[in-house]
Amino acid sequence: MSIVNSPSLNRSRPTSLPVPAVILGLAAIIYFGAAIMTGQLSQLTFEGLAGLLQRTVALGIVALGQTFTILVGSIDLSVAALISLVAVLAGYIMQGDPGMIAPAIFLCMVVSFVVGAINGLLVAYWGINPLIATLGSGLIIQGGLSAGFTHMGGSVAPRFQAFAYSGLLGVPYSVLMFAALTLGGWFVLTKTRFGANLYAVGGNPDGARLVGLRTERFVLSAHIFASLAAGIAGLYLAARLQSGTPWIGRDGIYDLESIATVVIGGTILAGGKGGVVGTAAGVLLFASLDASFNMFGVDAFLKQVLRGGIVITAVGVYAVRNRGHVA
């Protein structure tokens, strides 16, 4: 009998679980285990779980956009400053007037688009390292905010606050929006030619150019997506805090945490591998960790140490699993 046709060799090997499934399972174990161990069973009710999901919204939206930039081998460190800018603009434009909701949203998204376009042009067409380009634009934005606004100001319209505090059948509108954005991102990346080209550009930019793809356009588009996502997150936080908050993005560390959740979700920093489903799972893991730390009464500074250790461990695991890539 030929060795090639040996049944033992033809037998299919067991496949490992997808990264998102593993992360979701780990998040569930952490959250449910902490609730049971601390006796805070109210966290396991529908309202408790809805609250957990609501903690994922702001970071989750930013991370979805960050996934696009990392997939093309770039990165965006300006998202935290842009979140603060949008929150301030929303509050100062609305000034509590429901009639100004639409103009405020429109202007905020235009500003987000412009920031993303500038970042994309600097990285894709001028050849500036994305860390330097986006860090620089973020510093310019944050510096302008710090110079012009030293305290909370402005006020979003009461009707706009429903974006953060109301829901459908007990599920917050913000959670439904995050789910819709995740589904939309998954569809774009997996079911469209544009998404396939994004993976090609991130995985092998030289090969993508050889087959006729204008890689610069895809890098530009990814940065625009990231900034628009940051703009949406800024609007959500403005609705939640009910006023302009010039430090909300910086204090939330949304730039670094969005990168961490994307990497934990299985997207490698070299580009070309990963997706928004893994990112959403990574965000839920972070939310579960935060909720568990709160249940155990962990000190705020120790939280950062523990989260940092988890990020390093996760990146190390992916680096070992993906030899030849940078994770």
Side-chain angles (χ1 to χ4, degrees):
M1 180 176 63
S2 171
I3 295 178
V4 174
N5 295 325
S6 172
S8 62
L9 292 181
N10 290 333
R11 188 181 301 135
S12 59
R13 296 179 180 179
T15 57
S16 58
L17 289 172
V19 170
V22 174
I23 296 174
L24 288 175
L26 181 59
I29 292 172
I30 292 173
Y31 183 76
F32 281 82
I36 293 172
M37 291 176 65
T38 60
Q40 300 184 44
L41 300 183
S42 62
Q43 299 293 332
L44 304 182
T45 63
F46 182 83
E47 291 77 12
L49 294 175
L52 172 68
L53 292 176
Q54 197 163 21
R55 294 190 191 101
T56 69
V57 172
L59 177 59
I61 294 172
V62 181
L64 291 179
Q66 192 75 257
T67 304
F68 279 80
T69 60
I70 293 178
L71 280 175
V72 296
S74 189
I75 207 163
D76 193 339
L77 294 178
S78 68
V79 291
L82 181 55
I83 286 172
S84 297
L85 175 61
V86 167
V88 168
L89 280 177
Y92 273 88
I93 294 173
M94 290 186 202
Q95 294 295 342
D97 182 2
M100 295 301 295
I101 292 177
I105 293 175
F106 175 76
L107 183 58
C108 287
M109 298 313 294
V110 168
V111 170
S112 300
F113 179 92
V114 171
V115 171
I118 291 173
N119 286 337
L121 290 172
L122 292 175
V123 173
Y125 290 93
W126 285 20
I128 300 177
N129 184 285
L131 290 172
I132 303 302
T134 58
L135 178 61
S137 61
L139 288 174
I140 291 172
I141 294 171
Q142 193 62 55
L145 285 173
S146 299
F149 304 93
T150 57
H151 58 277
M152 295 178 67
S155 176
V156 300
R159 188 182 302 171
F160 185 69
Q161 296 171 21
F163 179 30
Y165 291 102
S166 298
L168 178 66
L169 300 177
V171 181
Y173 287 131
S174 56
V175 173
L176 295 175
M177 181 192 64
F178 175 48
L181 289 173
T182 303
L183 181 61
W186 170 83
F187 180 83
V188 169
L189 290 176
T190 62
K191 302 298 181 181
T192 67
R193 180 177 296 180
F194 176 80
N197 290 339
L198 279 179
Y199 282 104
V201 170
N204 187 354
D206 293 332
R209 292 189 190 96
L210 288 176
V211 298
L213 293 181
R214 297 185 178 181
T215 57
E216 297 84 0
R217 293 185 177 181
F218 293 96
V219 175
L220 173 63
S221 298
H223 275 282
I224 291 175
F225 279 133
S227 291
L228 290 175
I232 296 172
L235 288 170
Y236 165 71
L237 290 172
R240 191 166 181 81
L241 297 176
Q242 305 174 19
S243 63
T245 50
W247 55 81
I248 185 63
R250 178 198 63 196
D251 290 354
I253 326 176
Y254 287 104
D255 44 6
L256 299 181
E257 291 206 347
S258 64
I259 296 169
T261 53
V262 170
V263 174
I264 284 179
T267 300
I268 61 174
L269 288 175
K273 182 178 180 182
V276 295
V277 175
T279 295
V283 172
L284 185 58
L285 176 61
F286 260 42
S288 298
L289 285 170
D290 279 344
S292 301
F293 292 153
N294 290 335
M295 288 185 230
F296 283 112
V298 177
D299 178 77
F301 295 106
L302 182 57
K303 287 181 187 179
Q304 295 300 323
V305 174
L306 294 174
R307 291 175 71 176
I310 291 169
V311 171
I312 293 173
T313 302
V315 173
V317 170
Y318 291 135
V320 171
R321 291 183 56 190
N322 297 281
R323 294 294 186 182
H325 294 283
V326 179

